[in-house]
Amino acid sequence: MDRLFANRTVNAAQIGEGPPLVLFHSLLSDRASFDAIVPELARSYRTIVPELPGFGRSSAVEGGLAAIAGRMADAVHEVADGVPAIVLGNGYGGFVALQMAIRHPTIASRLILADCGAAFSEPGREAFRNMARVSRDKGLAAITDIAMRRLFAPDFQAQHPALMQDRRDAFLRTDLDVFCAACDALAGLDLRAELRGMTVPTRVVVGEYDEATPPEMSYELAAGLPRAELRVIPGCAHVPQLQSPRLFLDTIGDFLALKHNAPA
């Protein structure tokens, strides 16, 4: 069931009972990218899946990634009833979760950062600048093929035409201004100097074939965080929870269960 949080600015679905687990979606997708894993997570956790600011029914916010992280901190604090939550972010959602945890050190009991990093290489930054430039000139349809390649390997796309059509449709529903602002924010982002101050236990996971946030970014992120461990998910790209849900759950399951034993 959907509810509005953070002064009715953030829309989120909730399912299940137990410790709060909040899932942040990627920029090139939407919260439906978690649909395949939510039912199992909800067996053991109160699973909250918000729409990030500017997506779906969640209000956009100006001020870059820091302002978005602040808005989501308000939402997480409210949905978790003021106790630290487990926060899982994928792609753009991972960057938001990381920024949020840096600025609000007690907001999360544990972090799972899937297919993100602390900073892009210069070619990575330029890719975001190009996507924003082309989108502003010609609309999101002009970069849909590029967006899908960043999400999924070509072989996977060819084998799953119905899923790919669904993901294309979801991407084309993205607000153009929100998308371009996010591209600009990611192109200028560098959180590396702030990682050492983080104390929250973190699992960094990345798809072996991720082209949007290559594995090297996750290696650097895990190395920079004092309490992080890295897992590479074989055969997957940028949204492993959608491409291979069982493998993704197996990759994060022991970390989720550190302080909470899931039912058999």
Side-chain angles (χ1 to χ4, degrees):
M1 181 178 71
D2 279 16
R3 286 180 55 195
L4 292 170
F5 299 92
N7 292 320
R8 301 185 62 80
T9 60
V10 175
N11 184 57
Q14 295 186 86
I15 183 172
E17 300 291 337
L21 168 62
V22 188
L23 313 180
F24 290 0
H25 62 80
S26 73
L27 176 63
L28 301 176
S29 191
D30 59 12
R31 67 177 180 177
S33 63
F34 293 114
D35 283 357
I37 65 170
V38 163
E40 181 158 338
L41 293 173
R43 294 176 58 216
S44 304
Y45 302 91
R46 183 160 63 91
T47 305
I48 302 111
V49 193
E51 295 172 311
L52 293 177
F55 289 79
R57 292 174 56 202
S58 292
S59 302
V61 58
E62 296 184 358
L65 200 65
I68 291 168
R71 172 72 58 79
M72 295 312 299
D74 290 342
V76 170
H77 183 79
E78 185 177 349
V79 300
D81 300 319
V83 303
I86 305 169
V87 179
L88 186 162
N90 173 223
Y92 176 64
F95 289 100
V96 173
L98 178 61
Q99 177 81 90
M100 182 182 72
I102 289 170
R103 290 175 169 263
H104 303 271
T106 63
I107 196 78
S109 61
R110 273 167 283 160
L111 282 176
I112 300 172
L113 301 176
D115 298 84
C116 64
F120 284 91
S121 65
E122 185 51 40
R125 296 177 192 277
E126 187 59 24
F128 280 109
R129 296 186 193 111
N130 285 336
M131 285 194 294
R133 183 165 50 247
V134 173
S135 297
R136 287 187 176 107
D137 290 345
K138 300 180 180 179
L140 290 176
I143 65 160
T144 302
D145 287 345
I146 294 171
M148 294 304 104
R149 284 200 302 272
R150 291 173 70 87
L151 289 176
F152 302 104
D155 287 350
F156 181 86
Q157 292 190 50
Q159 294 163 12
H160 299 85
L163 173 63
M164 294 313 305
Q165 187 59 54
D166 177 73
R167 292 298 85 203
R168 286 173 176 272
D169 293 343
F171 176 67
L172 289 170
R173 289 193 295 269
T174 306
D175 182 281
L176 177 61
D177 292 335
V178 169
F179 176 79
C180 291
C183 287
D184 292 339
L186 292 171
L189 186 71
D190 191 343
L191 300 175
R192 289 173 292 189
E194 300 175 78
L195 298 181
R196 283 296 172 194
M198 292 186 61
T199 59
V200 60
T202 304
R203 176 157 293 182
V204 178
V205 301
V206 63
E208 177 185 12
Y209 300 125
D210 188 350
E211 293 186 7
T213 51
E216 291 77 15
M217 291 180 62
S218 288
Y219 299 150
E220 180 181 52
L221 175 61
L225 289 166
R227 301 183 65 187
E229 51 188 21
L230 174 69
R231 298 287 187 275
V232 178
I233 305 181
C236 287
H238 190 61
V239 280
Q241 76 278 7
L242 185 59
Q243 183 175 345
S244 187
R246 181 71 263 162
L247 187 55
F248 183 79
L249 287 168
D250 289 345
T251 302
I252 66 172
D254 64 314
F255 184 73
L256 285 174
L258 283 177
K259 295 183 180 179
H260 177 66
N261 293 321

